Amino acid sequence: MKRQLVLEDGTTFIGKAFGSEEKTIGEVVFNTGMTGYQEILSDPSYCGQIITLTYPLIGNYGVNRDDFESIYPALKGLIVKEHCDTPSNWRSQMSLHEYMKSKNIPGLAGIDTRKLTRKIRQYGTLRGAFCSITEDPLEVAEQLTRMSLPSNQVQQVSTKTAYANPGRGYRIVLMDFGMKHGILRELTRRDCDVVVVPYNTSAEDIIRLSPDGIMLSNGPGDPKDVPEAVDTIRNLVGKVPIFGICLGHQLFALASGANTEKLKFGHRGSNHPVKDLRTGKVAITSQNHGYTVTESSILRTQLTVTHVALNDGTIEGLCSNEYPAFTVQYHPEASPGPDDANGLFDEFMTMIQAFKRKGNTSCLNA
């Protein structure tokens, strides 16, 4: 069956449909990873987006039970150059088509993904729609220009109730803004006693859980759409050690008095080089974000920039000058991607130890 992608500027791509037959509308973005499509599909940070994978062959190792990053995928659609419906891998339990059909995710294959990616790089992310080839692209494009993107994405993907993942180590309260399972896995590997709470949990309720540390998870959308989380983080800073990832990094920056802004086309992939300004070392990182902390706004805060992206110079890490708190824009848990930065979870454990031993201290001196 044929299907067309229509962008808000009227550009049209016609290809082969796979997965669900549902029509869909979302923000069209691209990911530069060569592998990891299962983790990408199940990453809650893609809520409301249609993902273009730049690597041409997708689906060749199928879908298995172990590589999901959430139970319920939140993306709006998937675009690939070539879709493989006959996977070959000892772990494969179903094809990509079968999985996407079971989760009502529509797919489009056989289009020039290089052309689409170049357009997004030139003009920025664009709203797009999967629709029948009988529909008028100009009418669809006009509808897209009148539509606004949703602002409740964190609410859609966050857990509705708190739950525990017991361990015998430090108690970590994990604020779920769209948490990847990889974060929970890394804390579990360190025997942490994790309590996952909804995005809108108050600072008072979090403190009642007697945490040794607080983790701010990744998540979708504009950080300014979650003002209640900013207020909560502001009231927690200095009381308990904090580690933030991706959206958690942006929310921490807002809570500290900095500003955020939207990137032209974002960072999405598993091959992004990031420099640690403290050591001079470069890590290859997994990333998925469309917003960044505004560099000039750091001057009015008590924050130090610790990491920068080598591709465009944007801020990739922050540390409080006063309190035990640090954040990164990328994903040290990977899933998918390299685990170069996995040691940041150990730094978090070390910071908690220092806080317990010496009391309140800057992460620079932990």
Side-chain angles (χ1 to χ4, degrees):
M1 184 179 71
K2 294 289 186 180
R3 167 179 285 153
Q4 66 176 338
L5 165 69
V6 179
L7 302 178
E8 61 180 288
D9 66 355
T11 303
T12 303
F13 296 85
I14 298 178
K16 179 182 177 182
F18 69 100
S20 167
E21 297 180 3
E22 298 287 322
K23 295 183 179 180
T24 194
I25 292 174
E27 182 183 36
V28 183
V29 300
F30 66 87
N31 183 295
T32 57
M34 294 177 65
T35 62
Y37 55 80
Q38 183 173 334
E39 294 94 324
I40 292 167
L41 284 170
S42 56
D43 182 349
S45 293
Y46 283 111
C47 179
Q49 295 180 329
I50 298 173
I51 308 168
T52 305
L53 297 180
T54 60
Y55 190 71
L57 177 61
I58 301 297
N60 55 315
Y61 55 84
V63 174
N64 64 75
R65 71 168 195 175
D66 298 325
D67 291 342
F68 292 111
E69 288 301 310
S70 67
I71 296 175
Y72 305 107
L75 77 163
K76 289 294 186 178
L78 181 68
I79 301 170
V80 301
K81 170 61 177 172
E82 182 179 349
H83 161 243
C84 175
D85 202 27
T86 55
S88 177
N89 185 277
W90 67 273
R91 292 199 303 158
S92 178
Q93 295 175 307
M94 67 180 78
S95 69
L96 179 60
H97 166 72
E98 290 170 332
Y99 170 72
M100 290 176 58
K101 189 171 184 179
S102 70
K103 296 296 184 180
N104 288 320
I105 304 170
L108 177 66
I111 72 163
D112 188 344
T113 51
R114 293 174 300 177
K115 179 180 178 180
L116 176 56
T117 300
R118 288 173 66 90
K119 174 172 279 291
I120 295 171
R121 284 182 58 87
Q122 182 176 357
Y123 298 105
T125 55
L126 297 164
R127 284 165 289 193
F130 283 173
C131 55
S132 166
I133 58 173
T134 61
E135 295 190 48
D136 184 350
L138 294 180
E139 291 183 4
V140 175
E142 185 178 351
Q143 293 173 8
L144 289 171
T145 58
R146 296 197 301 264
M147 296 182 63
S148 57
L149 295 173
S151 60
N152 65 338
Q153 294 164 314
V154 169
Q155 180 182 348
Q156 292 179 47
V157 297
S158 175
T159 183
K160 301 300 184 287
T161 57
Y163 61 92
N165 191 72
R168 296 189 179 277
Y170 292 128
R171 169 164 288 183
I172 307 299
V173 171
L174 174 51
M175 294 190 71
D176 179 13
F177 305 116
M179 174 198 72
K180 288 171 60 184
H181 287 173
I183 296 175
L184 191 56
R185 282 194 295 267
E186 290 303 326
L187 294 173
T188 300
R189 280 181 57 195
R190 291 157 177 84
D191 202 27
C192 293
D193 181 31
V194 185
V195 180
V196 183
V197 298
Y199 77 99
N200 55 356
T201 304
S202 69
E204 292 78 12
D205 286 343
I206 289 174
I207 293 299
R208 288 192 191 102
L209 293 169
S210 301
D212 297 308
I214 295 170
M215 189 94 208
L216 311 176
S217 86
N218 63 294
D222 187 342
K224 293 177 182 176
D225 289 339
V226 203
E228 58 269 59
V230 175
D231 289 338
T232 295
I233 296 166
R234 186 180 295 121
N235 290 322
L236 290 170
V237 172
K239 298 178 181 177
V240 185
I242 293 175
F243 177 23
I245 291 174
C246 200
L247 182 65
H249 158 85
Q250 297 162 11
L251 292 169
F252 174 77
L254 291 174
S256 302
N259 193 20
T260 57
E261 59 186 321
K262 189 169 186 178
L263 291 166
K264 186 176 180 180
F265 48 80
H267 298 175
R268 298 174 180 89
S270 52
N271 47 10
H272 291 258
V274 169
K275 184 176 183 178
D276 186 333
L277 299 178
R278 303 166 300 177
T279 64
K281 293 182 178 180
V282 175
I284 304 302
T285 68
S286 176
Q287 302 203 10
N288 177 14
H289 59 275
Y291 290 80
T292 187
V293 177
T294 306
E295 184 176 5
S296 60
S297 70
I298 297 297
L299 297 175
R300 60 173 182 260
T301 71
Q302 291 298 315
L303 299 174
T304 293
V305 177
T306 57
H307 298 75
V308 295
L310 291 184
N311 286 340
D312 61 7
T314 53
I315 293 173
E316 290 283 347
L318 293 169
C319 181
S320 172
N321 300 333
E322 302 176 287
Y323 305 114
F326 73 98
T327 61
V328 291
Q329 180 65 83
Y330 52 93
H331 289 265
E333 81 285 358
S335 301
D339 58 5
D340 293 24
N342 191 265
L344 290 175
F345 289 96
D346 296 320
E347 287 189 29
F348 185 36
M349 300 297 108
T350 300
M351 186 170 68
I352 293 173
Q353 291 173 1
F355 180 76
K356 287 182 167 296
R357 186 175 67 252
K358 298 187 294 186
N360 202 358
T361 180
S362 162
C363 69
L364 297 173
N365 301 316

